Amino acid sequence: MASPMRSLLADPDRYLQSFRLFLERSTEHQSMQEFVERQLPDVIASIGDGKSTINVLSVGGGAGEMDLQILSKIRARYPGATINNDVIEPSADQIAKYKERVAQASNLENVNFTWHKETAYEYESRMKAEKKTKKWDFIHMIQMLYYVKDVPATIRYFHSLLASQAKLLIILVSGKSGWETLWKKYGSSFPLEDLCSYVSSGDLPRMLDSAGLKYQLYELPSHMDITSCFIEGDKDGELLLDFLTETLDFAQTAPPELKRQLMEELRKPGCSELRDGKVFFNNNLGVIVIEP
């Protein structure tokens, strides 16, 4: 009998709801913000040397929260330069939120924004069809490589667009995170339907080494409070379970044995730690900075 489990991505509204709850319950953005504050200034230290214009490409920019923080660091490092910031983002809803954010921000003089409502692959196909090879001084791909069909090819393409002093920044879940443990054990049981692939920072060195690319790796500690997942019938807990398994209504549609095993796994040290009666999922991130 076919499983009634369906991919969470089949219901964009519920996906967004679960994603927002994930951001609320996790230290994901705080971890990235800390990286932007502490380490990004060194990463971008020479991307704009001698340039009056700096070209930045955001691949999968979402609603722009991290993008604007990155731009503020580039502006601080190169106060006189004009920044052209292009954003590739397939969701009209996310682009609308991004534009609202830009409209409310006060420190964006000298920054020009262009939004492309398309996937990374659609952007690449269009650029190749138009025979355009614009070079970029900084490209970033934050939490988006899960949604491309061919990860090595996507990295190779965007790496080929780097100018001489440029950097390509990738952020993914860490190979040492609870996500990696879940995916390895249960990924084949979840109904991904080709909408998403499991890739972590642990998978990248092999791809980058075989392409002969130079890079640096950083590990960012992060966690998510998943205590509510263990409260039967808790609506937030069910939403978080959907997010963790990429499955629509996992609590209702998963076979009982799979659900039992997964709930057990989520409590184990490979996935989470118990502190003060709460369960904190290991949401560590990996940052990869690739040289031209």
Side-chain angles (χ1 to χ4, degrees), residues 44-54 74 77-78 81 137 165-166:
I44 60 168
S46 59
I47 62 167
D49 285 359
K51 295 170 184 169
S52 56
T53 303
I54 297 172
I74 296 174
R77 175 70 184 84
Y78 302 101
D137 302 301
Q165 301 279 67

Side-chain angles (χ1 to χ4, degrees), residues 140-148 150-156 159 168-176 180 183-184 197-219 285-290:
H140 56 88
M141 312 165 104
I142 297 176
Q143 293 289 46
M144 61 68 64
L145 276 177
Y146 320 108
Y147 307 107
V148 306
D150 186 335
V151 174
T154 300
I155 293 173
R156 276 198 307 274
H159 178 265
L168 168 58
L169 172 93
I170 295 172
I171 301 183
L172 283 171
V173 298
S174 163
K176 302 184 177 89
E180 180 83 335
W183 293 343
K184 282 223 160 77
S197 59
Y198 297 131
V199 58
S200 74
S201 66
D203 299 313
L204 259 54
R206 185 175 37 83
M207 298 177 192
L208 301 176
D209 290 341
S210 69
L213 301 180
K214 291 207 312 248
Y215 58 91
Q216 288 153 316
L217 285 169
Y218 304 82
E219 183 85 5
L285 302 169
V287 178
I288 301 96
V289 177
I290 308 175

